């Protein structure tokens, strides 16, 4: 699936078991230090390690192992191995890590990010490469260094093992760098992967988005665009000077400079175009929905696997700031066991007259926002629903073929439930997100996003953006025994720059896991297909068969 794939590791743990080991070397087989480990992990300070142990560690590294120290071991024996002495301890809290050198290990890592946990800066006493620093009292101190020792490497981190298991987003960046070093991903700098976009679309559309994302993401480069419309190819050439444009897909598939194809056409063409790209040996990312039917999804997944090609879907709403805040709260157990999820999008206004509102092209109203909201629901509740029931209305907007309102109800075998409602005839909006758990409830309400200006000639101007584009603030209400309900406001998490495209590059350059696994999206297609069928059959409840 990618040019680089980490191999299973054998790890020696020089300190008592710690959750950090499972984070950095999941599934590694434990071995003794003198039994040829691939990785030697040290958490904190292994006090007074015997000379024989230090000799065994040195020998293991010189043979090719990677030694990773979380925290700085003290003593001259360890300094001879790590190339650093421990500096001053910074009391627990939050400090910022700054990327000091761009290598494969720090590629696409945020330039500066906060890290919570114990920190002790490093004082080099040998030739080491500094990858991260931390600004302490207006001086940048080494925070993560690496050195060669024989055929192996020694990685020393000033942040202790508690930072590796902390759940904050900045700590996730630290873990990403450490795992790359553990897995040996820093060994290669690779050329940019060429991105081709099929279906450039109008100015400011998805073609422009993917082109800009590729240009802004290290390791990717927009090299080719396919669109049958002359004016759209011209727009691509104007926005991205030097890009090659094509009127038809076949000529782009013959271009060896194109490694990844992004299919950004209307949904009814996704399956055929993605299949052609996979069969031509290209990695493929498809705009949501992946396709219309599970038969199409199964064929795409099978073709990608047989050709050892990447297949993923641009489920970009997974990174919406409010949904990320919701998942963080759920993962932290703030709601207890989640048993009901309800989502809504819509209002009372005329639907667009573009292909999004045409049943034969879009697949139906459910396939539009439903591709995102049902993906959210499945991520939050896990597993597969047992039944799907859809009710729908066609009462007001008769110039388009999609339904005015669709309501999809999901039920799990254990009693958990969910509902997605999309409506163009809802004069009062329901909450965007409403999630119940055994210990609390979260709700998030849409808010208008209005820009007002007074212009010299035209006077007052008012523009209201689409309600679904702005993240919502979440209210968490928790029940505390003996006290009652408490309420907390959860703001949206900070936005990440092009997270989907960053993951594409990380996957294909470094072998990191895809954030959007096509097998997960196949579940979404199964629910969408069943929901459309239920609506076609007058709201009959459809029993879902588990994916094979």
């Amino acid at each position: 699936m990618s040019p680089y794939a980490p191999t299973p590791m054998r790890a020696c743990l020089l300190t008592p078991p710690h959750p950090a080991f499972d984070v950095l070397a999941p599934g590694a087989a434990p071995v003794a230090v003198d039994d040829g480990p691939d990785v030697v992990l040290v958490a904190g300070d292994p006090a007074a390690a015997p000379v024989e142990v230090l000799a065994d560690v040195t020998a293991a590294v010189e043979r090719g192992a990677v030694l990773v120290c979380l925290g700085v071991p003290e003593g001259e024996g360890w300094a001879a191995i790590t190339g650093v002495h421990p500096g001053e301890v910074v009391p627990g809290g939050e400090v910022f890590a700054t990327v000091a050198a761009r290598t494969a290990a720090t590629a696409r890592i945020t330039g500066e990010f906060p890290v919570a946990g114990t920190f002790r800066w490093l004082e080099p006493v040998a030739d080491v490469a500094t990858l991260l620093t931390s600004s302490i009292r207006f001086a940048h101190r080494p925070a993560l260094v690496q050195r060669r020792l024989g055929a192996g490497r020694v990685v020393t981190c000033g942040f202790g093992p508690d930072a590796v298991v902390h759940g904050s987003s900045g700590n996730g960046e630290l873990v990403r760098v450490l795992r790359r070093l553990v897995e040996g991903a820093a060994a290669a700098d690779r050329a940019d992967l060429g991105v081709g976009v099929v279906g450039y679309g109008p100015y400011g559309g998805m073609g422009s988005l993917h082109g800009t994302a590729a240009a802004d993401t290290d390791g990717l480069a927009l090299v080719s665009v396919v669109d049958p419309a002359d004016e759209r190819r011209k727009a691509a050439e104007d926005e991205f000077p030097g890009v090659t444009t094509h009127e038809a897909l076949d000529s782009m598939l013959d271009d060896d400079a194109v490694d990844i194809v992004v299919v950004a056409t209307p949904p009814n063409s996704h399956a055929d175009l993605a299949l052609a790209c996979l069969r031509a040996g290209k990695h493929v990312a498809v705009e949501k929905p992946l396709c219309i039917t599970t038969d199409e999804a199964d064929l795409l997944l099978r073709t990608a696997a047989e050709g050892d090609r990447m297949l993923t879907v641009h489920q970009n709403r997974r990174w919406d700031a409010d949904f990320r805040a919701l998942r963080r709260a759920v993962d932290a157990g703030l709601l207890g066991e989640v048993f009901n999820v309800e989502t809504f999008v819509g209002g009372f206004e005329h639907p667009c007259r573009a292909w999004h509102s045409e049943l034969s092209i879009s697949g139906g109203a459910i396939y539009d926002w439903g591709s995102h909201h049902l993906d959210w629901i499945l991520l939050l509740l896990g597993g597969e629903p047992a039944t799907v029931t859809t009710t729908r209305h066609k009462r007001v907007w008769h110039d388009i073929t999609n339904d005015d309102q669709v309501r999809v109800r999901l039920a799990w075998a254990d009693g958990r439930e969910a509902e997605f409602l999309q409506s163009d005839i809802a004069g009062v909006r329901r909450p965007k997100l409403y999630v119940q758990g055994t210990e609390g409830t979260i709700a998030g309400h849409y808010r208008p996003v209005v820009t007002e200006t007074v212009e010299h000639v035209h006077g007052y101007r008012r523009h209201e953006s689409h309600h679904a584009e702005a993240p919502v603030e979440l209210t968490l209400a928790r029940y505390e025994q003996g006290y009652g309900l408490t309420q907390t406001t959860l703001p949206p998490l900070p936005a990440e720059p092009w997270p989907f495209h960053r993951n594409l590059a990380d996957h294909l350059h470094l072998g990191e896991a895809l954030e959007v696994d096509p097998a997960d999206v196949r579940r979404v297609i199964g629910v969408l297909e069943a929901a459309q069928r239920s609506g076609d059959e007058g709201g009959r409840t459809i029993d879902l068969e588990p994916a094979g």
Side-chain angles (χ1 to χ4, degrees):
M1 293 290 289
S2 68
Y4 170 83
T7 56
M9 291 181 293
R10 289 150 40 87
C12 171
L13 314 180
L14 284 194
T15 46
H18 189 281
F21 300 146
D22 295 328
V23 174
L24 295 182
V31 297
V33 69
D34 58 355
D35 195 27
D38 302 305
V39 179
V40 179
L41 292 167
V42 176
D45 182 17
V51 173
E52 313 85 72
V53 171
L54 294 177
D56 286 344
V57 169
T58 302
V61 175
E62 289 179 340
R63 285 195 302 267
V66 179
L67 168 64
V68 179
C69 300
L70 302 176
V72 194
E74 297 204 37
E76 292 302 322
W78 280 107
I81 301 173
T82 64
V84 297
H85 277 150
E88 184 179 329
V89 175
V90 178
E94 179 182 88
V95 300
F96 276 80
T98 302
V99 174
R102 283 295 179 189
T103 67
T106 57
R108 295 167 294 280
I109 296 296
T110 306
E112 184 177 72
F113 52 90
V115 180
T118 306
F119 178 66
R120 191 172 191 175
W121 73 68
L122 314 177
E123 295 182 349
V125 293
D127 186 18
V128 298
T130 300
L131 303 180
L132 299 177
T133 63
S134 289
S135 179
I136 307 296
R137 303 176 196 133
F138 207 60
H140 277 278
R141 315 281 188 173
L144 179 67
V145 302
Q146 179 178 229
R147 70 179 299 222
R148 286 282 178 186
L149 189 62
R153 293 176 293 114
V154 180
V155 176
T156 308
C157 180
F159 295 99
D162 57 334
V164 172
V165 296
H166 197 282
S168 72
S169 58
N171 292 59
E173 292 285 75
L174 175 65
V175 168
R176 187 174 285 114
V177 174
L178 287 170
R179 286 197 65 176
R180 290 175 179 179
L181 293 170
V182 167
E183 294 170 349
D189 289 320
R190 297 178 174 88
D192 287 348
L193 295 165
V195 176
V197 176
V198 181
Y200 191 77
Y203 177 79
M206 298 311 297
S208 178
L209 180 148
H210 288 293
T212 302
D216 290 350
T217 303
D218 290 341
L220 301 180
L222 180 69
V223 297
S224 187
V225 165
V226 175
D227 201 296
D230 294 342
E231 67 275 11
R232 292 174 183 173
R233 294 196 303 276
K234 178 64 165 59
E237 293 166 353
D238 291 342
E239 286 187 75
F240 301 100
V243 71
T244 300
T245 59
H246 307 266
E247 186 175 354
L249 176 64
D250 288 347
S251 59
M252 187 182 78
L253 295 182
D254 290 335
D255 187 351
D256 291 338
V258 176
D259 301 292
I260 309 166
V261 177
V262 178
V263 177
T265 56
N268 66 335
S269 61
H270 286 182
D272 289 342
L273 293 173
L275 191 62
C277 295
L278 289 170
R279 287 173 172 168
K282 307 298 184 183
H283 300 292
V284 177
V286 185
E287 268 302 320
K288 64 82 189 169
L290 170 63
C291 51
I292 304 298
T293 70
T294 52
D295 285 345
E296 292 172 336
D298 290 339
L299 177 59
L300 289 171
L301 267 67
R302 185 168 61 251
T303 304
E306 291 172 351
D308 194 26
R309 297 294 89 185
M310 178 202 75
L311 174 65
T312 189
V313 184
H314 188 223
Q315 297 281 171
N316 57 305
R317 297 290 172 179
R318 290 189 179 191
W319 288 275
D320 277 8
D322 47 9
F323 180 68
R324 290 173 56 228
L326 172 59
R327 286 194 79 181
R328 181 175 183 269
V330 170
D331 292 345
L334 298 182
L335 276 72
E337 180 187 356
V338 174
F339 62 86
N340 180 48
V341 178
E342 300 173 21
T343 73
F344 168 80
V345 66
F348 205 127
E349 56 188 334
H350 202 296
C352 74
R353 273 74 70 201
W355 60 259
H356 304 76
S357 297
E358 169 54 40
L359 174 63
S360 64
I361 300 176
S362 68
I366 295 171
Y367 282 85
D368 190 13
W369 281 101
S371 296
H372 293 304
H373 284 241
L374 291 169
D375 183 52
W376 286 348
I377 288 170
L378 294 181
L379 288 172
L380 290 170
L381 288 175
E384 300 212 22
T387 63
V388 179
T389 307
T390 300
T391 57
R392 60 196 197 191
H393 295 271
K394 186 64 178 173
R395 298 178 179 274
V396 178
W397 311 117
H398 298 289
D399 58 331
I400 59 150
T401 55
N402 273 356
D403 296 309
D404 297 343
Q405 177 171 298
V406 291
R407 186 190 309 269
V408 181
R409 291 188 175 95
L410 310 178
W412 273 252
D414 60 5
R416 291 176 299 152
E417 59 185 339
E419 176 180 291
F420 162 62
L421 176 64
Q422 176 175 335
S423 178
D424 291 313
I425 50 175
V428 177
R429 291 188 176 111
R430 295 175 61 175
K432 175 182 182 179
L433 299 163
Y434 183 81
V435 181
Q436 292 177 277
T438 54
E439 297 178 20
T441 302
I442 281 182
H445 293 264
Y446 287 109
R447 59 184 175 88
V449 181
V450 177
T451 303
E452 296 179 300
T453 60
V454 178
E455 301 176 2
H456 176 64
V457 174
H458 300 288
Y460 175 77
R461 286 282 188 257
R462 182 182 188 277
H463 173 73
E464 184 167 348
S465 299
H466 193 281
H467 67 282
E469 294 301 331
V472 303
E473 195 171 73
L474 303 175
T475 299
L476 166 64
R478 284 172 51 86
Y479 180 77
E480 297 184 21
Q481 293 184 4
Y483 187 86
L485 282 175
T486 62
Q487 285 197 357
T488 306
T489 298
L490 303 179
L493 286 176
E496 298 181 20
W498 307 118
F500 175 81
H501 300 82
R502 165 175 148 167
N503 178 242
L504 287 187
D506 288 341
H507 175 70
L508 291 172
H509 280 295
L510 302 174
E512 296 182 5
L514 282 172
E515 294 281 356
V516 184
D517 188 321
D520 289 340
V521 178
R522 196 269 185 203
R523 290 193 307 151
V524 178
I525 298 301
V527 172
L528 289 168
E529 184 179 29
Q532 187 71 20
R533 179 182 167 195
S534 173
D536 290 343
E537 297 180 8
R540 182 174 73 85
T541 296
I542 304 297
D543 294 325
L544 280 183
E545 296 182 4

